[in-house]
Amino acid sequence: MPMASSSLGRLTVITGPSGVGKGTLVSRLLERHPEIWLSISATTRSPRSGETDGVHYVFLTRSDFEQQIEAGGFLEWAEFAGNLYGTPRRPVEDRLQAGRPVLLEIELEGARQVRQSFPSAFQLFIEPPSLAVLEQRIRGRGTDSEEAIARRLARAHTELAAVREFDASLVNDDLESALAALETHMGVAAPATAKPEATRAPGK
Ligand code: ADP
Ligand code: 5GP
């Protein structure tokens, strides 16, 4: 018997141009809300320094990735800046069935596929304050070759033009403010912090 939809976890898709700060925002969000489960994507791109197989991505050869496509193993997949990226289907479906909130951090074509297969998913777009700041962030990250930077910036124009397809968007300018906006959109309250002195009762 199918499960009642109210017991299924909520699926959220986060999209935005490379370098906008998706990874930074998502890792801060997960530190504060460990109940949210982030899907680990598969990719054919090479690991960046500091990236671990099975943690940041599952790194596959192109032929292994293509076999997974044939076997229907991806919920969605797309080519981005010369590499293939995809969301393994089974782990996502298992977590949703178990009632966990699930997060996908994927590019535009994948978000469009999820819109077809999971119309009830919440789709959020992250915008940079400007294209100049986006370029500074990609360069500041120091992980991409000039060719990769050029491809990512070219692709950013297409992605930014699609912002209106999304249920909501936020600008990642000040990180703390963007994180708070992300929490609001995801319907998770910010963790409680110590009350400021001024709000304490007198004498305490
Ligand atoms: P993405 O995952 O979207 O490709 P990253 O999370 O890798 O982007 O961020 C790209 C760079 O921008 C990183 O060096 C990160 O530290 C920096 N960054 C992210 N958010 C902000 C922000 N709000 N203000 C300044 N720098 C930021
Ligand atoms: P990066 O190479 O910078 O880690 O990721 C490049 C782009 O691929 C980013 O926009 C990221 O959101 C996207 N991406 C990561 N995993 C997936 C995935 O599983 N599917 C799709 N469609 N895009 C992904």
Side-chain angles (χ1 to χ4, degrees):
M1 206 173 86
M3 290 175 78
S5 62
S6 60
S7 62
L8 292 177
R10 188 190 196 209
L11 181 61
T12 301
V13 174
I14 291 186
T15 299
S18 178
V20 75
K22 301 179 300 294
T24 306
L25 280 167
V26 165
S27 69
R28 290 289 304 278
L29 180 78
L30 297 182
E31 276 168 23
R32 286 160 65 141
H33 303 281
E35 75 278 11
I36 298 171
W37 186 78
L38 174 68
S39 165
I40 301 172
S41 298
T43 183
T44 61
R45 104 156 146 60
S46 308
R48 292 181 181 137
S49 101
E51 284 184 336
T52 307
D53 189 29
V55 176
H56 299 94
Y57 281 105
V58 174
F59 295 98
L60 297 181
T61 62
R62 191 167 267 260
S63 78
D64 284 348
F65 195 106
E66 285 167 350
Q67 271 177 22
Q68 283 296 314
I69 295 173
E70 288 296 308
F74 291 122
L75 193 70
E76 60 72 38
W77 67 272
E79 182 144 12
F80 180 93
N83 294 299
L84 301 176
Y85 295 81
T87 303
R89 178 187 296 281
R90 189 67 195 272
V92 170
E93 290 179 347
D94 287 352
R95 265 53 170 218
L96 290 174
Q97 286 291 323
R100 265 185 96 170
V102 170
L103 192 56
L104 307 184
E105 191 253 277
I106 61 178
E107 54 66 70
L108 178 62
E109 292 306 326
R112 287 175 170 159
Q113 291 168 40
V114 175
R115 211 169 289 150
Q116 300 303 314
S117 53
F118 282 87
S120 62
F122 177 66
Q123 298 221 338
L124 178 64
F125 193 88
I126 315 282
E127 293 182 274
S130 67
L131 278 169
V133 170
L134 183 69
E135 181 166 355
Q136 276 168 19
R137 286 191 188 162
I138 298 182
R139 291 188 181 283
R141 185 166 63 187
T143 52
D144 300 283
S145 65
E146 274 306 313
E147 193 211 348
I149 291 171
R151 284 183 179 212
R152 281 158 194 264
L153 286 174
R155 180 74 190 152
H157 289 89
T158 311
E159 299 221 324
L160 289 168
V163 60
R164 283 188 191 81
E165 293 177 17
F166 286 74
D167 296 314
S169 64
L170 64 86
V171 178
N172 179 21
D173 190 350
D174 170 66
L175 186 64
E176 292 305 322
S177 309
L179 183 60
L182 177 58
E183 287 178 325
T184 302
H185 282 303
M186 291 205 56
V188 290
T193 50
K195 283 187 181 171
E197 284 298 313
T199 63
R200 285 191 188 154
K204 300 241 168 133

